[in-house]
Amino acid sequence: MIKKIPVHLLEPGMYVSDFNAGWLNHPFAFNSMLINSEADLAKVRAAGIRELFIDTDRGRDVGDGVPTAAEASRESAEQLDRMATTSRPVVAEARVSLAEEMNRAHVAYGEATRVIRNLMDDIRLGHQVELASTRPTVERIVASVMRNSNAMMTMRRLKSLDDYTFLHSVSVCAMLVTFSKVVDLEMNAIHDLALGALVHDVGKMRVAQAVLNKPARLSEEEYRHMKSHVVLGSDYIRQLPGIPALALEPLELHHERYDGSGYPRGLKGDEISQVGRMSGIVDVYDAITSDRVYRKGMSPAAAVQKLFEWSKFHFDPALTQVFVKSVGIYPVGTLVRLESGRLGVVIEQSDAHLLTPRVRVMYDAKRMHYIAPEVVDLSRPMGAGGADRIVGYEIPDKLGIDVSRFLL
Ligand SMILES: [Fe+2]
């Protein structure tokens, strides 16, 4: 049986079936393993893991009173459900339609990916770097998000596997700008923190490539080296002229955690600035929803449930709620399955309810063929057949569906 336990109950002989921490946060290349020794335990604790799942069929059990994984997951799903049904989504106001913004967002996303790739290549090769040259591309991302943030959010889905570090940089930038718009930060601040978000992982170019791209378990030494990307990045960026103080925050604080379990400084609560706390949430959300060479990304709905769980310890709970309410449980561009057996692409968040976006229905999953596209507003009753509702998430690639064809 799978049980969810707090880390202080973990003992040698227990079999961890899921570290419940995302790949970024633990030094184990496999997400399941037998805990053999005190050293393994120490490593789990040092990684800031507070709760994890054990399989009592494959290792020692815990005492009574610990919920099973199914119970724990039901509890966090219920918590999310409560939030989704009782509070309104935070919809970033759009000045232009998604259709109008898509092309510009596409160009800006592609350009930003090239710019950050060049910048990071230069850093890796020890060339002179001009941070000012990234300004125009940062401005274009900010401008696009201000016009209609959904367009940039949709671009995240175009990611390919091999360019992860660059695409992640651009996505974190676009999402942090969206988040900042929602919490109403000033425009000047948004421009500075957007620059910082774009370069938040440049320190990775000073991490040995063999460690950075290693698809197998990192040794303790390698994990320490990997974590040094924050300090390496900050040392590098700080010596460049004209870097605004706020731009340093996403870079220096994105791995700090609310409960003090993060790195490099182990800051706690409000010791981490608001922008720093926001950066951590965005960084993890993008990482766990992204496809990597060695694993598939989580669905957005599963990812927000995880964020919720982790926000008990790792993230500012209030900011996590705002973030989830703004990206939605089914973000624009998500392929969803409806109770009627039809599939549709989310095209707009409703401002009534997180679980009832507007969807362009276009596929009959029972008969497995396309149907005439039709926009359904799930927040409204649907005529004779009654209201339809979302029952799940579908992976477009599996069905050979090109979501972008149905967005507009
Ligand atoms: Fe990082």
Side-chain angles (χ1 to χ4, degrees):
M1 188 186 285
I2 308 289
K3 290 185 176 176
K4 185 177 187 183
I5 63 166
V7 74
H8 71 261
L9 294 181
L10 186 67
E11 285 174 14
M14 290 180 177
Y15 187 89
V16 174
S17 64
D18 182 348
F19 285 104
N20 190 35
W23 282 76
L24 284 185
N25 287 333
H26 70 68
F28 306 106
F30 299 101
N31 208 24
S32 58
M33 64 177 273
L34 185 68
I35 298 296
N36 279 317
S37 59
E38 281 296 326
D40 282 345
L41 271 183
K43 213 153 135 189
V44 175
R45 284 193 212 105
I49 293 166
R50 304 291 294 263
E51 289 179 320
L52 40 68
F53 295 97
I54 58 165
D55 185 344
T56 58
D57 295 331
R58 302 183 69 177
R60 283 181 49 198
D61 201 349
V62 273
D64 294 339
V66 174
T68 64
E71 286 163 352
S73 148
R74 206 173 318 125
E75 190 193 316
S76 75
E78 276 168 13
Q79 190 195 5
L80 185 62
D81 220 47
R82 255 197 315 278
M83 189 200 79
T85 45
T86 55
S87 57
R88 297 169 79 84
V90 181
V91 181
E93 207 189 309
R95 290 187 207 143
V96 305
S97 71
L98 182 62
E100 215 177 307
E101 191 53 34
M102 280 302 267
N103 266 338
R104 281 185 293 207
H106 194 222
V107 172
Y109 196 91
E111 181 198 80
T113 311
R114 275 192 302 281
V115 165
I116 188 68
R117 179 202 298 273
N118 289 339
L119 184 91
M120 288 173 100
D121 278 349
D122 282 345
I123 292 175
R124 188 163 49 84
L125 298 168
H127 294 165
Q128 194 61 34
V129 160
E130 270 287 10
L131 214 49
S133 66
T134 63
R135 276 286 186 185
T137 198
V138 169
E139 314 271 286
R140 270 192 277 279
I141 292 177
V142 174
S144 175
V145 171
M146 293 302 148
R147 284 189 296 262
N148 186 325
S149 59
N150 279 328
M152 266 291 167
M153 282 296 286
T154 311
M155 294 304 136
R156 297 183 57 241
R157 268 155 235 296
L158 306 176
K159 288 179 164 192
S160 64
L161 295 171
D162 40 337
D163 292 336
Y164 173 72
T165 307
F166 312 117
L167 296 168
H168 172 67
S169 303
V170 178
S171 296
V172 165
C173 173
M175 264 195 289
L176 190 60
V177 172
T178 308
F179 198 178
S180 305
K181 181 185 178 188
V182 166
V183 299
D184 235 355
L185 298 185
E186 280 181 18
M187 271 318 278
N188 281 341
I190 292 180
H191 278 113
D192 289 348
L193 64 89
L195 172 65
L198 187 66
V199 301
H200 79 280
D201 263 345
V202 293
K204 286 198 174 158
M205 293 299 108
R206 291 283 165 96
V207 169
Q209 293 290 304
V211 172
L212 197 59
N213 301 321
K214 189 173 174 183
R217 178 177 181 149
L218 293 186
S219 70
E220 231 160 301
E221 188 54 43
E222 289 168 330
Y223 185 57
R224 234 189 329 257
H225 180 50
M226 175 65 115
K227 292 204 287 191
S228 71
H229 79 276
V230 176
V231 172
L232 292 169
S234 123
D235 287 351
Y236 185 85
I237 293 291
R238 275 180 180 271
Q239 47 94 31
L240 297 175
I243 177 96
L246 199 57
L248 293 167
E249 293 185 14
L251 191 159
E252 293 178 348
L253 301 173
H254 73 279
H255 287 291
E256 298 290 353
R257 293 292 173 258
Y258 206 55
D259 59 358
S261 65
Y263 62 88
R265 295 170 65 195
L267 299 174
K268 217 178 194 162
D270 291 351
E271 291 169 4
I272 312 165
S273 71
Q274 185 187 3
V275 169
R277 281 176 272 148
M278 291 162 64
S279 304
I281 295 170
V282 167
D283 184 53
V284 168
Y285 178 81
D286 187 68
I288 61 179
T289 51
S290 296
D291 289 340
R292 302 297 297 276
V293 179
Y294 45 84
R295 63 161 167 79
K296 251 339 228 163
M298 278 183 207
S299 75
V304 295
Q305 193 182 321
K306 278 288 171 203
L307 280 186
F308 247 93
E309 261 178 71
W310 294 334
S311 74
K312 274 197 280 181
F313 306 110
H314 291 174
F315 305 120
D316 178 335
L319 278 176
T320 307
Q321 284 226 10
V322 175
F323 178 74
V324 170
K325 284 194 242 174
S326 69
V327 293
I329 291 170
Y330 301 104
V332 171
T334 311
L335 184 64
V336 291
R337 185 164 17 92
L338 303 179
E339 199 170 40
S340 60
R342 300 175 300 172
L343 305 187
V345 176
V346 176
I347 54 169
E348 205 181 321
Q349 296 295 320
S350 101
D351 48 14
H353 198 303
L354 280 169
L355 301 172
T356 58
R358 271 156 54 93
V359 173
R360 182 167 285 118
V361 170
M362 36 39 107
Y363 193 82
D364 182 331
K366 287 181 197 149
R367 297 190 181 81
M368 296 189 58
H369 63 65
Y370 287 97
I371 50 178
E374 176 198 353
V375 175
V376 176
D377 184 341
L378 296 174
S379 67
R380 298 219 180 109
M382 206 187 55
D388 213 338
R389 65 184 191 94
I390 296 176
V391 292
Y393 164 86
E394 293 286 341
I395 298 169
D397 290 353
K398 267 197 193 158
L399 299 160
I401 292 175
D402 176 6
V403 164
S404 62
R405 274 178 54 210
F406 301 100
L407 265 170
L408 305 177

